[in-house]
Amino acid sequence: MKIELETKSYTEKANLYQILNKEELSKNDIVYLLSLNDKPDTEILFQHADEVRKKFCGDDIHPRGIIEFSNFCEADCVYCGLRKSNATLERYRISIDEIITTAKKIYSAGIRTIVLQSGEDPHYTKDDITKIIEAIKQNCDVAITLSLGERTFEEYDEWKQAGADRYLLKHETANLKIYSSLHSKQKLEERLNHIRYLKSIGFQTGSGNIIGLPKQTIEDIADDILLCKELDCDMCSFSPFIPSPETPFRDIPPAELSLTLKTMAVARIVLKNVHIPATTALSTLSPEGRKLGLQVGANVIMPNFTPDEYKDKYRIYANKKTYDPINYVKELKELISSMGRRVAEDKGHSLKI
Ligand code: SAM
Ligand code: SF4
């Protein structure tokens, strides 16, 4: 019996190494890797992902300073605390001048990418966003990432012309049924068309999923990774679901840390030269989340520079981790050098350019 067990485990190890060494992974391979449960096997997976990260991205970790400038949202994504139907959330909008002042603070902190994020808030018109992009570009030598949800193609054209570099619009889930059940307004095919359009006009694009949504299977997560590959994204964010008490998903348990880390690791192995963040949601899920993420394939970190008076109101989910960004960057530099890596000082453009 003992011999049989040892033989089985030897065969499984050989199988694992064989999959990890393949040039292209099939959906079955991805499902196999995401289903690993045994600690020594997941350690092998994580180590391989870290090696792929080193080979394709080097040791640089790219900081992106994020400004969450409005928590108003026209959309009603069931999982999100900013959803339109959440009547308990105190809403805010940051003025154009304050957004620009905050961007300058990010630049002074030595960060060379600014992420402008909000709910889907048409209060900020096409011209407002253009004005913000132009003012930031005039004052700071930075890359700009927009994360404003679905806007019109005409708006995307103008913002690209104004100098915006990147657009982050996650597909959230590749499972059509789940997507439709979570979004009353948006359609998955439309979202994918937006991502493809953004790419076609020269934006570096970001997509990704939420891990741990109700009814989501391992096969769905494999499809999410493969969809990011098909979309040829420059950055991909795989973040754990965390419940918000202000949404219908208040009683859904948060995603498992191990599944989140496995997803990031497998995504790194499949997608190779893309930027993958260690998300704030991962740090919220576990105090060690940021470090663990950086050890299994992540190469991006997003310090939050939203001014203090608004930070607590950008409540996507419960217990969202908040901190002083300047201290955070200092701490981060120490953590990163203790890991034998370095904080990048450039704009950290797409690794595919
Ligand atoms: N409104 C824009 C959009 O949806 O693209 C940008 C802001 S939105 C808050 C940014 C991301 O938050 C979404 O893409 C979604 O993946 C994530 N998110 C929302 N609710 C979440 C939750 N409960 N747990 C984890 N991530 C969540
Ligand atoms: Fe709005 Fe984005 Fe939240 Fe959806 S995920 S409700 S679009 S802020």
Side-chain angles (χ1 to χ4, degrees), residues 205-217:
T205 51
S207 189
N209 76 347
I210 302 181
I211 300 155
L213 293 167
K215 300 201 173 120
Q216 185 186 48
T217 62

Side-chain angles (χ1 to χ4, degrees), residues 79-80 117-119 147 149 170 172 210 240-242 314 316-317:
Y79 44 80
C80 179
Q117 191 179 85
S118 67
S147 172
K170 288 168 67 176
E172 315 292 3
I210 302 181
F241 167 75
I242 300 181
Y314 201 79
I316 306 176
Y317 41 73

Side-chain angles (χ1 to χ4, degrees), residues 27-47:
K27 182 171 171 185
N28 280 346
D29 295 333
I30 295 175
V31 169
Y32 177 88
L33 295 177
L34 291 172
S35 309
L36 292 174
N37 260 327
D38 193 32
K39 192 147 187 268
D41 287 350
T42 51
E43 287 304 323
I44 293 169
L45 170 70
F46 293 159
Q47 202 185 331

Side-chain angles (χ1 to χ4, degrees), residues 41-325:
D41 287 350
T42 51
E43 287 304 323
I44 293 169
L45 170 70
F46 293 159
Q47 202 185 331
H48 187 76
D50 198 43
E51 282 162 17
V52 175
R53 183 273 307 155
K54 194 174 173 72
K55 180 171 170 194
F56 288 92
C57 318
D59 284 330
D60 279 0
I61 292 175
H62 300 279
R64 322 288 202 200
I66 183 166
I67 312 172
E68 300 156 336
F69 66 87
S70 163
N71 69 354
F72 280 84
C73 192
E74 290 279 290
D76 214 24
C77 311
V78 176
Y79 44 80
C80 179
L82 307 192
R83 67 199 300 262
K84 192 178 185 175
S85 303
N86 179 8
T88 54
L89 183 67
E90 193 189 326
R91 305 280 170 168
Y92 71 86
R93 287 189 177 109
I94 304 185
S95 71
I96 294 181
D97 285 348
E98 196 174 0
I99 297 172
I100 296 164
T101 308
T102 311
K104 288 181 189 164
K105 280 189 193 149
I106 298 177
Y107 183 59
S108 303
I111 294 178
R112 297 292 174 259
T113 290
I114 290 169
V115 182
L116 300 171
Q117 191 179 85
S118 67
E120 288 190 1
D121 185 3
H123 171 87
Y124 295 85
T125 62
K126 178 177 77 178
D127 292 347
D128 289 336
I129 301 293
T130 301
K131 199 169 152 191
I132 296 166
I133 296 165
E134 287 176 347
I136 294 176
K137 285 280 180 168
Q138 273 159 20
N139 287 283
C140 318
D141 181 21
V142 290
I144 296 181
T145 303
L146 301 176
S147 172
L148 318 177
E150 286 179 27
R151 302 283 299 236
T152 66
F153 285 17
E154 193 196 340
E155 287 175 316
Y156 298 147
D157 288 339
E158 172 149 333
W159 299 335
K160 185 77 193 61
Q161 289 291 319
D165 300 272
R166 309 179 191 140
Y167 206 104
L168 176 60
L169 187 65
K170 288 168 67 176
H171 68 265
E172 315 292 3
T173 172
N175 180 312
L176 187 58
K177 263 196 185 155
I178 298 180
Y179 191 95
S180 308
S181 70
L182 300 177
H183 305 100
S184 51
K185 196 177 77 138
Q186 306 104 310
K187 304 266 170 290
L188 179 58
E189 202 42 49
E190 240 170 70
R191 175 144 299 214
L192 300 183
N193 283 341
H194 279 245
I195 299 170
R196 290 187 184 111
Y197 184 75
L198 287 159
K199 180 112 195 150
S200 77
I201 60 168
F203 273 104
Q204 296 168 45
T205 51
S207 189
N209 76 347
I210 302 181
I211 300 155
L213 293 167
K215 300 201 173 120
Q216 185 186 48
T217 62
I218 295 289
E219 282 76 10
D220 292 332
I221 296 176
D223 284 337
D224 287 328
I225 295 172
L226 288 168
L227 181 54
C228 287
K229 187 174 176 192
E230 186 199 316
L231 291 168
D232 195 17
C233 290
D234 302 281
M235 44 203 182
C236 299
S237 170
F238 302 92
S239 54
F241 167 75
I242 300 181
S244 157
E246 295 161 297
T247 67
F249 279 0
R250 59 184 68 81
D251 296 324
I252 305 290
E256 282 173 24
L257 178 65
S258 65
L259 179 59
T260 306
L261 295 174
K262 279 188 281 181
T263 304
M264 292 171 70
V266 177
R268 168 58 71 207
I269 293 165
V270 174
L271 303 171
K272 299 183 174 74
N273 58 346
V274 297
H275 290 303
I276 297 181
T279 60
T280 308
L282 184 58
S283 300
T284 303
L285 195 62
S286 153
E288 285 280 278
R290 183 182 56 183
K291 185 174 179 190
L292 293 171
L294 293 172
Q295 287 171 330
V296 302
N299 68 328
V300 168
I301 212 94
M302 295 173 77
N304 188 347
F305 280 78
T306 306
D308 283 344
E309 59 180 301
Y310 312 110
K311 242 179 209 165
D312 285 346
K313 296 179 193 144
Y314 201 79
R315 279 203 304 275
I316 306 176
Y317 41 73
N319 307 318
K320 185 163 158 249
K321 209 163 163 52
T322 54
Y323 42 76
D324 170 68

